[in-house]
Amino acid sequence: MTTYTLHTPIPCHAAICKALNLAGQERRVTLGLDLELNTPAGSLVVAGGQPLNLGKHPRSLWVELVGWLVNQGCEVHCVQEACGFGWEFHRELEGAGAHSVVVAPQELSGKRKTDKRDARMLATLLWDYVSRGNRACLRPVRVPTVEKQQQRGSHRRREQVIKLRGQIASQGRSLLWDHGWLRDLDSWWAPKNWEQLRADLLAAGRTWLVDMIEPMQRMCLQLNGYSEELKKKAISEVKPPKTAIKKSEPGLILNAAEPPRASEEAPAAQVRPKGLGELSYAIIAAEVGDWNRFKNRGQPGSFIGCCPSEYSSGEKQKLGQIDRMGSSRIRTTLVEAAWRICRLNPNWRGVRKYPEELGPQGTVRGARKRKAIVACARMLMVDLWRLHMGTATLEGLGLEPATT
């Protein structure tokens, strides 16, 4: 005798029950969710069958559906694209018992793009990914923990505050220029510069202009103070770890005469070289999250998008400029740090590799020097990974430790 449940909140309850009955012992399902602010669209694949379009529902209802499927003995896999709505929905799905994965956005449904089509394609691709082992159909992204998300939120918010301060400062500068005050107004909102600018404007009889621009100066000053607070917070949240020195990679010399055994307690290794500031290190460490995510030295370079683009066929190989398919925040920070490190650490392997471009007696300028510094930024990322893994020391890499 079949028992029917009426007025259940589960979307398409009858169709899902029918698909589960037809699947028999196969209880693996994949749920594709196309996210939006309030009501994500979903599609369900049961045992590799045709996708069931479940419509659009609140997030709480999708979590309830996952919990109900788990209670029915199903192995539930969920997928959603990374977007600007955070990671809470992913964590809620995992809390309900699902194996949730967040993937990089990609074109799913061609020229006819709808939420319904995208959800259906996500569910189908997830089935290929999970059941058929097709690892090329989706690109999962690493979901940070709540602590790591908060750590990187400080310096990201600081970037936004600095950008907003620059926009307001530009508006004030354009206002002054528009009314004929054609002077150098770099950082006009700074306290000393503002005192002189205000006195000059009042002396010239531009009182009304002072009244218009003074609120902008106060906003810039407040945003500058807020950015300094965020800077201190970002630095305090990320500290260099005490990393045990392991076996050395070929070509790298360790300080210790003998590498410590696995059971021994190795001394703490300094991981911040001279020239890499506290804020720069905090940005890199917060964006990386876990240095153990990299299994070889090629992965850190790929993570920051400093691998060369390639167009090869047959025996011909053509390498181009860097692909930039990685974290732009870390890449920018590393390039800035590489300029300082090359100047303060003349014995570093990056300087030794490009002596004509970056050495103390270097004479090369222009594009060739810029290409060399990008290559050094990639080396710096690899060296930081080695330092965190304990396979190298600052002395072995030709780097001096940071003083603070």
Side-chain angles (χ1 to χ4, degrees), residues 101-120:
V101 61
V102 182
V103 298
Q106 63 188 59
E107 187 175 348
L108 297 170
S109 50
K111 294 184 178 180
R112 292 188 177 182
K113 182 187 185 313
T114 62
D115 295 344
K116 176 181 175 181
R117 288 173 177 265
D118 288 351
R120 186 167 63 236

Side-chain angles (χ1 to χ4, degrees), residues 142-168:
R142 178 177 291 266
V143 178
T145 62
V146 177
E147 180 183 2
K148 294 296 183 182
Q149 186 179 5
Q150 293 174 354
Q151 287 179 357
R152 73 184 191 185
S154 297
H155 74 83
R156 289 187 178 186
R157 179 57 180 162
R158 177 180 173 271
E159 292 177 4
Q160 296 172 348
V161 170
I162 292 176
K163 183 178 179 180
L164 180 58
R165 185 195 67 191
Q167 292 174 349
I168 297 175

